[in-house]
Amino acid sequence: MQLAHPGLKDPEYYVAGLPRDWVSQRYGLPPEQIAKLGSAENPHGPSPLAVAAVTAALDRLHLYPSWTAEPLREKLAATYGYQPEQFIVGAGETEVIACIIRAFAEVGGKVAMPRPCFPLYHLFAEAEGRRPIMVDTVDMALDVDAYVAAITADTRVVFITNPHSPSGTWISEADARRIVEAAPQALVVLDEAYVHYSQTPGYLHLVAEYPNLIVLRTFSKAFGLAGLRIGFGVADRPIIDPLLAVKPTWNMGQLQIAGGVAALDDSDHIDRTVATIVDSRDYIISRLADLDRFRMIPGSRANFFLIEVLDPDTDSTAVFEGLLERGVIVKDGAVSFRGLADRHLRVDVGHRAHMDRLVDALADLP
Ligand SMILES: *Cc1c(COP(=O)(O)O)cnc(C)c1O
């Protein structure tokens, strides 16, 4: 018996990066020896200011939080220079993405996205009975001409990810503007989850110019708070107000609000994290150039990159398993990203020692 709507007949779920403990038990390796390079987490851990603020907020757990997370909206407004009412805050950016699809595309409505892309765009669209329109990338980078051409008058939501996931590639401000201007009747969602690692301020300033643009960011990456669940969107009020109506009312708890407010002041943590990622990214580019069975997809400005398996006698799943046995967790493109076949793996940039573990393990594969 199927009581759920037809879009949920064979539901597909997100494939997360593997946890350290699982790999440790299955392969008999000490957890501290495992290089966890599959979930784009912060190698320096959580923002210390956020940890202190979360601890101090524990005595407020009996109180309902502000349903709009008002203290966090005010802090975001002071930090990024818009009005508090122009922000929507969610339990991770993921929740904001789900709310956008629900609020801006009707059942059967078209939701455009690159292929491959962050899987939650199409997973949520399909779970809500909306229709993903996937536009192929070229060498894993957004094909702006093809993307603009695919936007039609009945497209409701258009996703852009910059830096892109899974490749980390970058689009220019001119190209971002072209896409926003090509879709005046749609909401363009610019997902800047990894913007810190690009060492640019990103394109948040475009919100002041375009009434059909929302920019999304997360506290899960550079702030190191993936386990706390905080993300936000900024746009004009006619975009934000419907989102407030569809979001689960008290979606942000006291700890998330307190942690988010404090993290926004933790520029030391951000600076340290970005410095490590940028250093290790340059390092792994040069080290991978020495291997001839693998190639890095060039141009990543994120804290991860794609490896292409050049050796025709193996595939991404065999490489994934071989790396796990050697204590290195990455993501197998074949199961993690729609539109990737069996030639790619997504690998995080982390500490240099973990980059060495990765290269040694790749070189050791049969
Ligand atoms: C990690 C990530 C997010 C953020 O997810 P959260 O729900 O905030 O943890 C958003 N978009 C992309 C492309 C990501 O990779």
Side-chain angles (χ1 to χ4, degrees), residues 39-40 91-95 97 118 120-121 161 163-165 191 193-194 217-221 226 229-231 304 346:
S39 300
E93 214 193 285
T94 307
E95 188 177 51
I97 292 168
F118 186 44
L120 293 175
Y121 305 157
T161 321
H164 190 54
S165 174
D191 181 344
Y194 300 101
R217 295 206 179 168
T218 180
F219 286 64
S220 298
K221 309 289 159 56
R229 313 302 306 135
I230 315 168
F304 50 76
R346 198 189 83 171

Side-chain angles (χ1 to χ4, degrees), residues 128-331:
E128 301 277 359
R130 279 66 168 165
R131 193 145 49 105
I133 305 294
M134 302 190 83
V135 180
D136 284 327
T137 52
V138 173
D139 204 17
M140 302 297 158
L142 185 67
D143 179 347
V144 179
D145 289 336
Y147 208 46
V148 165
I151 297 169
T152 53
D154 60 348
T155 304
R156 306 312 309 267
V157 178
V158 176
F159 280 101
I160 322 172
T161 321
N162 201 40
H164 190 54
S165 174
S167 60
T169 53
W170 182 256
I171 65 165
S172 68
E173 182 176 324
D175 281 339
R177 285 179 182 275
R178 261 184 78 199
I179 295 166
V180 180
E181 289 169 12
Q185 79 301 332
L187 177 63
V188 177
V189 183
L190 173 59
D191 181 344
E192 293 192 331
Y194 300 101
V195 69
H196 290 97
Y197 304 123
S198 73
Q199 295 179 292
T200 78
Y203 303 148
L204 213 55
H205 59 281
L206 296 184
V207 166
E209 288 181 52
Y210 296 112
N212 64 324
L213 173 67
I214 185 167
V215 176
L216 306 185
R217 295 206 179 168
T218 180
F219 286 64
S220 298
K221 309 289 159 56
F223 291 105
L225 298 175
L228 193 55
R229 313 302 306 135
I230 315 168
F232 68 92
V234 56
D236 279 353
R237 277 199 64 178
I239 304 298
I240 298 300
D241 289 350
L243 292 170
L244 292 178
V246 299
K247 85 174 179 67
T249 306
W250 294 280
N251 61 327
M252 299 295 291
Q254 296 282 6
L255 305 187
Q256 289 154 293
I257 295 170
V261 168
L264 287 169
D265 283 328
D266 206 343
S267 48
D268 285 355
H269 192 66
I270 296 284
D271 293 348
R272 180 166 55 234
T273 300
V274 172
T276 296
I277 297 300
V278 170
D279 171 76
S280 285
R281 201 166 57 197
D282 291 343
Y283 180 67
I284 189 63
I285 288 171
S286 70
R287 288 229 48 199
L288 276 178
D290 297 338
L291 303 180
D292 35 288
R293 300 167 72 202
F294 304 96
R295 169 180 94 104
M296 180 192 275
I297 301 293
S300 175
R301 296 186 67 175
N303 61 332
F304 50 76
F305 53 90
L306 280 175
I307 290 181
E308 183 179 352
V309 182
L310 300 174
D311 180 351
D313 295 329
T314 187
D315 61 30
S316 64
T317 304
V319 171
F320 172 76
E321 297 282 347
L323 291 178
L324 279 186
E325 280 169 34
R326 290 162 180 78
V328 179
I329 304 172
V330 302
K331 267 194 170 173

Side-chain angles (χ1 to χ4, degrees), residues 328-351:
V328 179
I329 304 172
V330 302
K331 267 194 170 173
D332 175 9
V335 297
S336 301
F337 294 97
R338 197 180 288 180
L340 286 187
D342 60 359
R343 311 312 302 166
H344 295 89
L345 302 113
R346 198 189 83 171
V347 185
D348 298 346
V349 178
H351 293 298

